[in-house]
């Protein structure tokens, strides 16, 4: 076990735990944001640099600070380690820099993007971004390529997190897409237009932190915040059959994996469950799904709205009392 | 004339061939090491020599070797980094082309010290013709029993092969090199683990620069203490310097560390002074990544002492007034040179070579190039200099590998020492073609 | 009709020799060298068919070949001229006049950087540092480095290539015997 302190809060964690995992165990507001790390994908993380933190004390044995900011998702804790996230101005500034880099070539087409409302980049920009861009060059464009009947790809929105590549590598048996070219010309592609057809390929949609990979069967049907997430399951031979249904009225608009509070899939689901079972009768409904994210969905979520109303009413009542 | 270790026999006719190389004392270190020395003793001698990595980082070689993990039954590898791609650097090409056996000798001896059964030279693809020279030399060495099974009748067996890259600066970064060697994209790995623990095919691996390995035979033959006597302070031994730009005698020079920069630039033995009798404006002393320094700071430190060709003296004053020895890619610019345009060529280079894995480097290098491009085209905007400064600051230290730093430092140093020139470009684009007035702007 | 994408027996033997350098199961290591061979053999560029063929030879997924081929600057993913004149443009070459070299070539051949002459003989490419700064300005064509260029020298080089009329590859110079 190793004791690690993050922004003043301590926790004992098993050896081999990363700083990010430890921060998630502590919970609260001091968890570094992560775009490319995904808890269910091996070797993920380290690329986007949003989760960088400052290690102000290396360990009990070797208390020297680490010379550079480190990606918390790929740095394992040492006993006695002290980490600064939100308490370090250096970290916050570097993170603002990373967010700016991620956004300079992003099309900012949220108004027409199906990911809006559950987009990690939106959240990240909201919390760490600047109101105005300093980038005044034309933004990067790519030729649209068709990657098959189920998944729509918008390369301009991609932040190159490698999650979809790792998903294809680790949960499907034949990866046909990958990271091609290099530098800022890198793109996710199949090179020769090739349909990504695989029983589990749809999971790439769920792992995509932005709107680069979206569900064609859900395309332009509804804003996510107008849909109602429900936990549901069915008997499935290929996967666990445990999913989240996104309903509007009695219509199932979309099926996704169930995601944890960090927006990362809990279990992979098969394409049949995801794309073909859009009838409410296909499913056993377990109940409303709690979305524990600070994204737009939750901002206007009824739970929050009710809570906010309660506060507002209390305030007004107090004002009335005070006036009297 | 200073001491020569690597290039001592460079002008001997036929030194490329095994026979001539051996007639000049070549491969004696293999004989000595394999027959009379224990591997650990060689590592100790290299430690004592103070030899530092000649690729650019200057990390003590003996220490790097001692980090190599040695689990039972697991292969270990020595990989020679011949990806030489740092702009301004061409010393490894020269060495491999002219005297290939010195590298092979160093590899056999070093592999014996490290317990590596196989070693490999990863050479940049553009040096294809040099790879042939090396392959021919390897064939000669096999035929002479210096490679293969039971070398010189000892128990030590060793194989060497040459792997050719295909055009990617980033493969000079050791983990990107290993990825490339495994047939993948040259994306640097996230460390730890370091190659000493998990390198090629997940096995413990030492990656060393060509020049570093080529220095090992001398150390084995003469002892680490003897090597440490050459040079100055912690800059022991000799260093190959690739000299280019506005000088009379561009080329590769072996210097004993500690000679003055002034001597190196102006003496007939080395660069032979500035081309066409012009004045010196600036120098990039250690390959494109290291900070550019104006004439007065490259010749003398801030304290007014003569600047020496050594790790310590070149970095005297930190980045505020100093630079680095780096790979020894010594680029000289005369008074007519536009520092801004030169920087643009560097920025374009780093943009072109960024692998694209991590966001600060992928996005930042392109952004910096675009801004510099509009400045040199006469469309610079007010505030561009400050914007450039801010972008490089946000790249530096925040990337997976040192390419981010390498892209940031030239920008930072050019602005630090030549800010007025940037402002001139931005405020008076109509005067861009007249470089003369830029001379007076040097701060 | 382009020729069939298949190595002859001699080349297959060479590929197998390269694969033997690596430990069992690590044949993917041969990808870079084999792509060089394929490019030299099949008209100087790597078509999707060529890359699929290489993938089958090394028993890896085609996308693994695309990923690699598109990463490295020496692989051409589009048809190119027989002689690719690659002019270095980084600092030392720039400071010694590489821009003039490029302009001269563009004028002489009537094409811009990145284009191929109508007769399919030449492609001009501007490239980043080739490690020949001491011989600046310089250009590479196939395996050859041409250093300390002057405009006259450049004219000669181009004429010689034109007269020779052969495709130039990085792998020239008895590739098969020395690898």
């Amino acid at each position: 076990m190793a004791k690690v302190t993050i922004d003043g809060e301590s926790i004992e964690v098993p050896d081999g735990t990363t700083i990010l995992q430890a921060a998630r165990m502590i919970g609260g507001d001091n968890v570094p944001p992560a775009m490319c790390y995904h808890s269910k994908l091996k070797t993920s993380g380290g690329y986007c640099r949003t989760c960088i933190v400052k290690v102000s004390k290396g360990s009990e044995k070797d208390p020297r600070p680490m010379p550079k900011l480190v990606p918390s998702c790929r740095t394992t804790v040492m006993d006695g380690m002290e980490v600064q996230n939100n308490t370090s101005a250096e970290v916050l500034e570097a993170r603002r820099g990373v967010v700016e880099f991620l956004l300079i070539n992003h099309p900012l087409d949220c108004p027409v993007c199906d990911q809006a409302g559950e987009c990690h980049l939106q959240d990240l920009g909201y919390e760490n971004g600047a109101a105005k861009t300093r980038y005044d060059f034309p933004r990067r464009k790519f030729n649209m390529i068709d990657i098959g009947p189920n998944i729509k790809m918008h390369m301009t929105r991609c932040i190159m997190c490698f999650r979809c590549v790792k998903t294809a590598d680790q949960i499907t048996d034949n990866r046909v897409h990958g990271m091609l070219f290099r530098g800022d010309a890198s793109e996710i592609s199949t090179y020769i237009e090739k349909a990504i057809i695989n029983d589990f390929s749809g999971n790439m949609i769920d792992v995509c932190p932005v709107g680069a990979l979206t569900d064609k069967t859900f395309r332009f049907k509804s804003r996510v915040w107008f849909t109602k997430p429900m936990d549901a399951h069915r008997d499935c031979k290929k996967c666990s059959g445990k999913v989240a249904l996104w309903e509007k009225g009695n219509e199932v608009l979309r099926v996704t994996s169930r995601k944890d509070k960090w927006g990362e899939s809990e279990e992979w689901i098969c394409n049949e469950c995801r794309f073909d079972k859009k009838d409410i009768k296909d499913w056993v409904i377990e109940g409303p799904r709690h979305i524990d994210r600070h994204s737009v969905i939750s901002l206007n979520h009824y739970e929050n709205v009710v809570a906010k109303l309660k506060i507002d009413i209390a305030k007004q009542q107090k004002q009335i009392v005070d006036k009297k | 004339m200073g001491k020569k270790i690597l290039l001592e026999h460079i002008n001997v006719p036929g030194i490329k061939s095994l026979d001539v190389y051996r007639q000049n004392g070549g491969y004696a270190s293999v004989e000595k090491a394999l027959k009379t020395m224990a591997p650990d003793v060689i590592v100790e001698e290299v430690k004592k020599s103070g030899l530092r990595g000649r690729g650019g980082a200057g990390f003590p070689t003996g220490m790097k070797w001692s980090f190599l993990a040695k689990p039972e039954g697991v292969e270990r590898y020595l990989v020679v980094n011949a990806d030489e791609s740092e702009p301004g650097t061409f010393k490894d090409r020269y060495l491999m082309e002219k005297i290939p056996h010195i590298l092979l000798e160093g590899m056999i001896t070093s592999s014996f010290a490290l317990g590596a059964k196989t070693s490999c030279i990863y050479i940049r693809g553009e040096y294809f013709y040099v790879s042939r020279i090396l392959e021919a030399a390897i064939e000669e060495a096999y035929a002479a029993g210096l490679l293969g099974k039971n070398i010189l009748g000892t128990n030590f067996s060793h194989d060497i092969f040459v792997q050719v890259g295909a055009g990617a600066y980033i493969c000079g970064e050791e983990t990107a090199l290993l990825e490339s060697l495994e047939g993948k994209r040259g994306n640097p790995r996230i460390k730890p683990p370091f190659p000493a623990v998990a390198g090629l095919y997940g096995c413990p691996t030492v990656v060393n620069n060509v020049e570093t390995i080529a220095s090992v035979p001398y150390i084995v033959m003469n002892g680490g203490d003897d090597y440490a006597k050459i040079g100055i302070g912690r800059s022991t031994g000799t260093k190959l310097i690739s000299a280019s730009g506005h000088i009379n005698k561009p080329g590769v020079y072996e210097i004993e560390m500690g000679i003055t920069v002034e001597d190196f630039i102006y003496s007939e033995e080395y660069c032979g002074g500035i081309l066409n009798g012009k004045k010196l404006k600036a120098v990039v002393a250690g390959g494109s990544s290291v900070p550019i320094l104006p004439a007065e700071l490259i010749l003398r430190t801030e304290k007014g002492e003569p600047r020496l060709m050594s790790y310590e003296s070149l970095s005297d004053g930190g980045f505020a007034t100093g630079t680095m020895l780096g790979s020894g890619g010594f680029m000289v610019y005369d008074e007519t040179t536009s520092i801004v345009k030169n920087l643009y060529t560097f920025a374009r280079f780093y943009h072109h070579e960024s692998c694209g894995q991590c966001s600060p480097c992928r996005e930042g290098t392109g952004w910096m190039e675009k801004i510099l491009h509009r400045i040199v085209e006469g469309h610079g905007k007010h505030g561009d200099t400050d914007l450039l400064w801010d972008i490089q600051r946000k790249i530096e230290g925040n990337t997976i590998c040192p390419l981010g730093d390498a892209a940031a430092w030239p920008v930072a140093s050019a602005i630090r020492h030549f800010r007025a020139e940037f402002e001139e470009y931005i405020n008076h684009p109509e005067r861009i073609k007249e470089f003369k007035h830029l001379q007076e702007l040097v701060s | 009709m382009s020729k069939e994408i298949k190595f002859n027996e001699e080349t297959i033997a060479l590929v197998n020799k390269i694969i033997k350098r690596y430990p069992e199961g690590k044949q993917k290591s041969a990808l870079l060298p084999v792509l060089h061979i394929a490019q030299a053999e099949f008209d100087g560029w790597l078509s999707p068919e060529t890359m699929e063929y290489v993938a089958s030879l090394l028993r890896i997924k085609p996308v693994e070949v695309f990923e690699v081929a598109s990463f490295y600057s020496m692989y051409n993913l589009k048809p190119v001229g027989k002689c690719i004149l690659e002019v270095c443009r980084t600092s030392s070459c720039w400071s010694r006049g590489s821009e003039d070299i490029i302009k001269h070539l563009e004028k002489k051949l009537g094409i811009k950087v990145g284009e191929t002459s109508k007769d399919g003989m030449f492609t001009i490419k501007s490239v980043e540092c080739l490690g020949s700064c001491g011989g600046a300005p310089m250009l590479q064509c196939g395996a050859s480095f041409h250093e300390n260029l002057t405009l006259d020298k450049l004219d000669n080089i181009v004429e010689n290539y034109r007269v020779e009329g052969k495709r130039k590859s990085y792998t020239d110079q008895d590739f098969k015997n020395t690898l």
Side-chain angles (χ1 to χ4, degrees):
Chain A
M1 295 294 277
K3 187 184 160 201
V4 56
T5 307
I6 302 169
D7 282 347
E9 286 190 69
S10 299
I11 190 170
E12 290 250 347
V13 294
D15 291 334
T17 307
T18 63
I19 295 173
L20 180 67
Q21 286 162 344
R24 286 181 172 187
M25 288 176 200
I26 296 171
D29 291 336
N30 289 333
V31 182
M35 301 289 290
C36 65
Y37 168 78
H38 192 292
S39 54
K40 307 298 178 301
L41 293 172
K42 274 176 252 152
T43 72
S44 66
Y47 308 115
C48 73
R49 318 305 280 181
T50 52
C51 72
I52 43 174
V53 293
K54 187 178 175 68
V55 176
S56 50
K57 180 182 171 190
S59 69
E60 211 53 64
K61 267 189 200 155
D62 182 0
R64 287 176 302 168
M66 290 190 181
K68 287 180 176 182
L69 302 182
V70 297
S72 59
C73 63
R74 293 292 286 258
T75 310
T76 48
V77 299
M78 302 291 279
D79 191 37
M81 182 184 270
E82 286 175 19
V83 178
Q84 294 177 346
N85 179 34
N86 286 333
T87 51
S88 160
E90 187 189 349
V91 168
L92 294 179
E93 212 214 333
R95 187 169 297 146
R96 276 194 293 274
V98 171
V99 175
E100 182 176 31
F101 288 132
L102 287 174
L103 287 172
I104 59 170
N105 275 304
H106 190 81
L108 300 173
D109 57 347
C110 314
V112 293
C113 176
D114 275 330
Q115 189 85 359
E118 54 182 16
C119 173
H120 293 213
L121 189 58
Q122 253 183 347
D123 298 346
L124 190 72
Y126 187 68
E127 280 155 18
N128 301 281
K132 267 180 84 175
T133 181
R134 298 189 289 174
Y135 187 77
D136 50 5
F137 298 95
R139 284 162 196 255
R140 192 162 55 222
K141 286 201 179 84
F142 296 91
N143 293 330
M144 275 286 201
I145 72 157
D146 185 2
I147 57 167
N150 299 325
I151 307 172
K152 178 76 189 168
M153 184 165 78
H154 285 274
M155 190 54 216
T156 50
R157 297 172 184 160
C158 176
I159 59 153
M160 295 178 210
C161 68
F162 287 88
R163 280 178 175 183
C164 64
V165 180
K166 289 181 196 286
T167 303
D169 251 345
Q170 292 171 25
I171 70 165
T172 74
D173 50 13
N174 186 24
R175 177 163 71 89
V176 296
H177 83 296
M179 189 71 76
L180 306 188
F181 303 97
R182 79 174 181 212
D184 63 3
S186 299
E187 64 175 298
I188 297 288
S189 178
T190 55
Y191 190 63
I192 34 174
E193 287 204 9
K194 202 161 187 172
I196 297 178
I197 305 167
N198 183 289
D199 279 347
F200 284 81
S201 62
N203 289 292
M204 285 164 32
I205 299 168
D206 287 343
V207 299
C208 182
V210 294
L213 299 173
T214 50
D215 184 339
K216 273 190 180 170
T217 65
F218 179 60
R219 196 163 157 74
F220 300 143
K221 288 234 169 105
S222 172
R223 283 310 197 180
V224 287
W225 57 88
F226 294 134
T227 61
K228 210 167 50 179
M230 303 291 267
D231 278 342
H233 67 265
R234 63 182 276 271
D235 275 335
C236 179
K237 288 192 181 90
K238 291 175 191 155
C239 70
S240 70
K242 291 181 194 161
V243 303
L245 298 183
W246 299 75
E247 297 177 11
K248 202 175 190 178
N250 277 332
E251 214 184 333
V252 175
L253 294 188
R254 181 170 73 142
V255 182
T256 69
S257 63
R258 296 179 188 178
K259 295 184 187 179
D260 61 19
K261 64 195 292 193
W262 314 110
E264 290 157 22
S265 303
E266 288 172 354
E267 275 179 284
W268 308 119
I269 61 168
C270 71
N271 283 6
E272 190 186 334
C273 286
R274 183 187 302 270
F275 298 120
D276 303 336
K277 301 291 170 192
K278 293 292 179 71
D279 192 328
I280 199 129
K281 280 178 265 167
D282 292 331
W283 299 95
V284 179
I285 307 290
E286 295 167 22
R289 178 158 184 83
H290 176 71
I291 301 292
D292 190 18
R293 277 177 60 76
H294 40 256
S295 63
V296 182
I297 313 178
S298 341
L299 278 180
N300 279 330
H301 201 272
Y302 61 91
E303 287 174 328
N304 293 343
V305 173
V306 172
K308 189 169 177 294
L309 276 176
K310 276 183 186 165
I311 295 166
D312 288 351
I313 291 166
K315 261 190 203 162
Q316 283 181 7
Q317 281 174 337
K318 193 167 178 288
Q319 279 171 359
I320 294 164
V321 171
D322 288 350
K323 266 184 193 169
K324 278 181 183 172
Chain B
M1 287 286 277
K3 175 98 181 160
K4 300 274 184 281
I5 289 174
L6 302 167
L7 305 185
E8 191 186 353
H9 303 294
I10 201 84
N11 292 320
V12 176
I15 193 70
K16 240 182 223 180
S17 73
L18 182 80
D19 289 346
V20 178
Y21 181 71
R22 279 187 113 168
Q23 283 155 25
N24 286 276
Y27 285 104
S29 78
V30 173
E31 183 105 30
K32 181 174 176 187
L34 269 53
K35 291 187 175 165
T36 69
M37 293 171 87
D40 289 349
V41 174
I42 302 173
V43 175
E44 273 315 303
E45 288 302 322
V46 173
K47 269 191 188 168
K48 269 195 247 166
S49 74
L51 175 65
R52 294 163 69 172
R54 299 294 194 229
F59 192 81
T61 306
M63 204 189 290
K64 193 173 195 174
W65 285 14
S66 64
F67 291 157
L68 186 69
K70 292 174 179 166
E72 254 337 279
V74 180
E75 287 280 329
R76 278 167 244 156
Y77 292 99
L78 169 68
V79 177
V80 171
N81 185 343
D83 192 60
E84 187 169 64
S85 309
E86 174 89 358
T89 317
F90 46 98
K91 55 167 183 104
D92 295 336
R93 175 168 77 102
Y94 182 77
L95 193 69
M96 293 184 290
E97 182 178 344
K98 301 285 178 198
I99 180 162
H101 283 288
I102 197 170
L103 175 60
L104 303 186
E105 179 178 355
M107 287 172 77
I108 300 166
T109 309
S110 304
S111 297
F112 174 71
L114 297 166
K117 282 186 207 136
T118 308
S119 61
C120 157
I121 305 167
Y122 181 96
I123 187 166
R124 67 180 294 188
E126 292 88 344
Y127 289 179
F128 229 111
Y129 79 96
V130 184
S131 76
R132 307 235 188 271
I133 295 170
L134 289 167
E135 273 158 358
I138 290 170
E139 227 163 87
E140 280 186 305
Y142 270 106
L146 288 159
L147 277 174
K149 290 225 159 73
N150 303 103
I151 295 170
L152 300 175
T154 65
N155 287 330
F156 184 64
S157 302
H158 192 71
D159 291 305
I160 295 182
F161 68 91
V162 182
Q163 177 92 353
V164 177
Y169 166 71
I170 190 59
C171 291
E173 195 277 343
E174 58 181 14
T175 59
L177 186 155
L178 296 175
E179 286 285 295
S180 182
L181 188 44
E182 292 180 8
K184 302 176 196 160
R185 295 159 65 83
N187 288 339
R189 295 176 183 168
I190 291 161
K191 287 148 283 199
F194 290 92
V197 176
L200 184 61
Y201 310 125
C203 301
T205 304
V206 165
V207 183
N208 276 144
N209 174 259
V210 170
E211 187 187 345
T212 313
I213 291 296
S215 301
V216 171
Y218 180 93
I219 296 167
V220 167
M221 290 311 293
N222 300 279
D225 289 332
D226 183 275
Y227 187 88
K229 279 184 206 138
I230 310 163
I232 180 167
R234 286 179 54 234
S235 297
T236 60
T238 63
K239 174 86 189 86
L240 294 180
I241 305 290
S242 319
S244 66
H246 297 131
I247 45 173
N248 284 315
K249 291 168 57 195
V252 175
Y253 298 101
E254 181 171 19
I255 60 154
E256 191 168 327
M257 281 197 269
I259 65 167
T260 67
V261 172
E262 189 162 3
D263 191 31
F264 184 70
I265 297 175
Y266 291 100
S267 80
E268 273 311 305
E269 194 183 340
Y270 304 113
C271 302
I274 309 299
L275 199 61
N276 300 324
K278 291 225 164 57
K279 273 195 269 176
L280 174 68
K281 181 173 186 178
V283 170
V284 172
S288 59
S289 311
V290 311
I292 190 169
L293 286 184
E296 65 277 11
L297 280 176
I298 189 67
L299 296 174
R300 295 191 172 273
T301 65
E302 202 190 2
K303 291 169 244 159
E305 290 160 359
R307 182 91 68 185
L308 310 180
M309 298 288 282
S310 73
Y311 290 100
E312 290 74 25
S313 181
L314 281 168
S315 58
D316 188 287
F319 276 8
T321 59
T323 180
M324 288 163 80
L325 176 61
S327 62
F330 197 89
M331 291 177 276
V332 179
Y333 306 100
D334 73 14
E335 55 190 321
T336 66
T337 313
S338 159
I339 298 299
V340 179
K341 186 72 193 282
N342 182 57
L343 176 63
Y344 167 62
T345 75
F346 285 152
R348 186 173 57 191
F349 173 84
Y350 288 109
H351 174 214
H352 185 259
E353 301 300 339
S354 169
C355 82
Q357 262 192 132
C358 65
S359 21
C361 177
R362 178 182 66 238
E363 305 295 343
T365 52
W367 194 2
M368 293 199 299
E369 188 207 325
K370 287 190 182 89
I371 294 169
L372 279 160
H373 183 253
R374 80 174 166 209
I375 294 176
V376 297
E377 291 292 309
H379 306 300
K381 294 186 179 177
H382 293 289
D384 271 357
T385 319
D386 291 330
L387 182 56
L388 275 174
W389 180 266
D390 197 52
I391 297 170
Q392 65 80 20
R393 215 167 49 89
K394 287 190 164 132
I395 299 173
E396 189 199 355
N398 293 328
T399 52
I400 293 175
C401 82
L403 194 142
D405 296 348
W409 294 341
V411 175
S413 57
I415 296 176
R416 190 180 297 122
H417 301 298
F418 298 93
R419 182 180 266 270
E421 201 174 306
F422 286 79
E423 297 308 323
E424 179 72 8
Y425 259 86
I426 293 166
N427 296 328
H428 299 288
E430 74 284 358
R431 286 197 245 156
I432 283 173
K433 290 218 166 87
E434 309 157 30
F435 289 124
K436 267 189 188 158
H437 70 284
L438 294 176
Q439 290 161 37
E440 290 121 45
L441 290 168
V442 178
S443 53
Chain C
M1 187 65 201
S2 59
K3 61 179 166 184
E4 195 195 356
I5 303 296
K6 204 172 173 211
F7 288 147
N8 60 25
E9 270 176 35
E10 195 189 346
T11 314
I12 290 280
L14 174 64
V15 168
N16 288 333
K17 197 176 155 197
I18 293 172
I19 292 173
K20 276 217 181 87
R21 298 168 181 171
Y22 317 109
E24 193 72 35
K26 303 294 182 191
Q27 77 282 358
K28 191 179 171 180
S29 275
L31 183 50
L32 270 69
V34 174
L35 282 176
H36 276 302
I37 298 172
Q39 178 163 289
E41 200 118 314
F42 304 119
D43 301 326
W45 71 293
L46 299 171
S47 67
E49 295 76 34
T50 304
M51 290 191 272
E52 296 216 29
Y53 173 65
V54 169
S56 69
L57 273 184
L58 297 180
R59 303 189 305 281
I60 56 179
K61 299 181 189 97
V63 68
E64 294 179 82
V65 181
F66 302 152
E67 283 176 324
V68 165
S70 63
F71 184 87
Y72 296 94
S73 62
M74 289 169 73
Y75 299 129
N76 303 309
L77 302 184
K78 291 197 175 110
V80 286
K82 284 183 176 171
C83 295
I84 310 174
L85 304 170
E86 301 184 88
V87 187
C88 175
R89 60 180 186 176
T90 319
S91 185
S92 288
C93 278
W94 163 76
S95 73
R96 297 291 294 252
S98 68
E99 285 183 346
D100 294 336
I101 299 292
I102 292 174
K103 268 186 219 148
H104 186 76
L105 270 181
E106 288 183 330
K107 208 174 141 200
K108 188 178 172 67
L109 300 174
I111 50 171
K112 293 274 169 213
V113 167
E115 293 176 350
T116 300
S117 60
K118 274 197 189 126
D119 58 1
M121 192 61 216
F122 294 105
T123 301
I124 310 175
K125 243 171 120 176
S126 57
V127 297
E128 301 301 341
C129 188
L130 294 179
S132 185
C133 323
M138 65 81 65
L139 72 80
Q140 177 169 21
C141 181
S144 306
F145 277 32
H146 299 281
E147 302 183 312
N148 301 307
L149 293 175
T150 59
L151 299 188
D152 284 347
K153 225 171 157 179
L154 191 58
D155 287 339
N156 276 332
I157 291 165
V158 172
E159 278 325 303
N160 286 342
Y161 281 130
R162 199 194 296 280
V163 170
E164 206 186 339
K166 275 193 192 154
R167 181 172 293 286
K168 293 288 161 190
S169 306
Y170 300 115
T171 57
D172 288 345
Q173 297 180 352
D174 301 317
F175 181 57
K176 287 170 185 171
N177 297 330
T178 46
L179 244 173

